[in-house]
Amino acid sequence: ISDCELGQFGKLNKNIAKSEILEKLETKLDSKRRISCKDALECAKNFNMADIRATLKTYKIDVKYCELGCFEEKKGKKFHIKSKIWIENS
């Protein structure tokens, strides 16, 4: 799989974002502005897929739980903090 229909990876063409698509998608967003792949594809039935890709990208909406199993949930950068503690006797 080289391209995601929803534009999460690959280089498929995008059109111009549309507010009516955003209104439809916003009803399905979670608290972190993410939508499941299944819900996004369901909304795409009424619109052009290139318009859906553009709306997701423009409004920075992430897709989670890929229907094809490419990814479950995008995770941000992780920071690993290492610290050492030593005790001095006085």
Side-chain angles (χ1 to χ4, degrees):
I1 300 173
S2 61
D3 295 316
C4 173
E5 284 290 319
L6 295 173
Q8 296 302 297
F9 57 87
K11 296 183 179 179
L12 293 177
N13 293 332
K14 298 173 187 72
N15 285 349
I16 298 170
K18 296 186 177 179
S19 60
E20 60 266 13
I21 296 174
L22 179 63
E23 289 173 7
K24 184 134 177 136
L25 292 174
E26 279 184 332
T27 61
K28 311 242 181 193
L29 295 180
D30 66 5
S31 61
K32 296 181 181 177
R33 291 194 57 80
R34 297 176 301 182
I35 189 168
S36 71
C37 181
K38 184 177 182 179
D39 290 338
L41 290 173
E42 185 178 308
C43 291
K45 290 178 183 177
N46 301 326
F47 300 100
N48 183 354
M49 192 59 89
D51 293 338
I52 295 286
R53 280 193 293 272
T55 304
L56 291 172
K57 188 74 169 180
T58 302
Y59 294 103
K60 296 179 182 165
I61 298 171
D62 281 331
V63 176
K64 62 182 179 177
Y65 306 116
C66 174
E67 285 291 293
L68 299 176
C70 295
F71 55 85
E72 287 185 10
E73 186 173 352
K74 289 183 178 180
K75 297 190 176 166
K77 296 178 182 178
K78 294 182 180 178
F79 294 101
H80 296 284
I81 300 173
K82 293 182 180 181
S83 63
K84 292 183 180 180
I85 301 174
W86 61 87
I87 301 172
E88 294 182 17
N89 292 334
S90 50

